[in-house]
Amino acid sequence: MITGRERGIVACASYSAKKMGISRGFPLNQAKIICPDLIILPSDYETYSLFSRRMFNIMRRFTPDVEEYSIDEAFCDITGLRIGLCLLLPERE
């Protein structure tokens, strides 16, 4: 299973598709040759963007230093966060 029908290239591939050599940016016509039973779905960028914003907002609760690298990747400076996380974790017996 892959997404990307609207662009003509693979936007995201399932683990099964990746095992067959299909990766992001792969042309759909070549992907169909490799896997004739391939299920191709449209990408849901609106929902993906919504969850992306939610994730970045969660990161910013812990540090203001969040560098967004792409819609689903970011770098955060969490120096000193260990103390804060200990307060959030339940005590061990």
Side-chain angles (χ1 to χ4, degrees), residues 36-61:
D37 296 328
L38 191 64
I39 298 169
I40 304 170
L41 302 172
S43 301
D44 186 350
Y45 293 106
E46 184 178 337
T47 301
Y48 201 72
S49 180
L50 172 70
F51 280 95
S52 173
R53 284 191 304 273
R54 286 181 181 178
M55 188 65 224
F56 291 138
N57 288 337
I58 291 168
M59 290 177 184
R60 286 189 179 91
R61 281 197 256 162

Side-chain angles (χ1 to χ4, degrees), residues 56-81:
F56 291 138
N57 288 337
I58 291 168
M59 290 177 184
R60 286 189 179 91
R61 281 197 256 162
F62 294 95
T63 178
D65 193 8
V66 177
E67 180 182 334
E68 294 183 28
Y69 185 69
S70 69
I71 194 168
D72 61 359
E73 296 177 87
F75 299 95
C76 303
D77 180 4
I78 56 170
T79 304
L81 189 61

